[in-house]
Amino acid sequence: MGNIAYVSGEFIELDDAKVSIQDRGFQFGDSIYEVIKLYDGKLFKADEHFSRLLNSAEMIRLNLEYNLEDLKKIALEVVDKNTDNQSGSLYIQVTRGIAPRNHSFDFDLKSTVIMYLLPPQPFPSELWESGVNAVTLPDTRWSYCNIKTTNLLPNILANQAAKEEGAFEGVFISDDNIVIEGTSSNIFIVKDGRVITHPINKKLLSGITREIVLELAEENFDVEEKIFTLEELYNADEVFITSTTKEVLAVVEIDDKVINQAKVGKITKELHNLYREYKQDLNNF
């Protein structure tokens, strides 16, 4: 067998997998998703990802007929059926289902559930040594960024704008100059030995990597979840971003302003090492 996907009760070759053009996920972006990293066939933090998926479903009032254990069982079957590709990521998408096009929805719709494996996307290891640059961008997204919805067009456009400015990542800034998060990452600053990041609310997504790094930071440093301004970002001793693929990645330049003499900071390095050790411990899966 080749790349096997799961589509609403059926395991099928990925190239043959299809959903209806009347699916609300296609027509309205009326859907949610998760991406779970695979290490040697093991799903990293599956419970946390599926819990967030279920929470997203509840927040958009999507009728998901599966519980956490059901979803995990399907996910493991997908992994088992793809023995030649077990080191990438598992992609999960749940839509509200198929219905004639209408903005309002029926609560009894049967949801569409899709799972398939994404190939490995190696991250350039030299970037963890050198750090990356970023630019700040106005936050033009909607008011429920804490829901992991597939409506990612604002993030895509912002990320593209950052790339066209020659930056690795874009950082969303609110109208009142508060630093929110990256286009596909959470952002932290270090000031006077204290690790600081924006508290979780509707303005940003609580990343799984963010939560692990916070846990590790709390065991080793002073930590505070509080809002901070663009000026505080520019004047930070260290800046780093977190995500599944980026892990803990230093930002050494923002809007052409140099951070920490363009060097990866000591606390950033230590947190990245701690995160790497955490991943290698099978008890943390």
Side-chain angles (χ1 to χ4, degrees), residues 1-53:
M1 289 190 293
N3 197 347
I4 303 301
Y6 174 87
V7 182
S8 294
E10 184 180 6
F11 292 96
I12 188 169
E13 288 279 352
L14 181 62
D15 289 344
D16 298 324
K18 295 176 176 60
V19 295
S20 168
I21 61 170
Q22 287 191 302
D23 192 290
R24 290 181 62 90
F26 170 72
Q27 298 217 344
F28 296 108
D30 190 357
S31 58
I32 53 178
Y33 79 104
E34 285 290 333
V35 182
I36 306 179
K37 198 88 168 87
L38 269 169
Y39 296 102
D40 297 322
K42 292 180 172 33
L43 293 166
F44 186 61
K45 292 296 181 182
D47 284 6
E48 287 83 350
H49 280 282
F50 284 124
S51 293
R52 187 170 63 179
L53 184 78

Side-chain angles (χ1 to χ4, degrees), residues 131-142:
V132 297
N133 64 338
V135 293
T136 56
L137 302 160
D139 193 350
T140 57
R141 302 169 300 166
W142 72 324

Side-chain angles (χ1 to χ4, degrees), residues 11 15 17 55 58-59 68 76 93 137 155 158 170 180 205 224 247-248 272:
F11 292 96
D15 289 344
N55 184 59
E58 183 179 353
M59 293 186 74
L68 189 147
L76 292 172
Q93 184 169 332
L137 302 160
N155 298 64
I180 308 296
L205 183 71
E224 191 171 4
E247 299 184 350
V248 180
H272 190 217

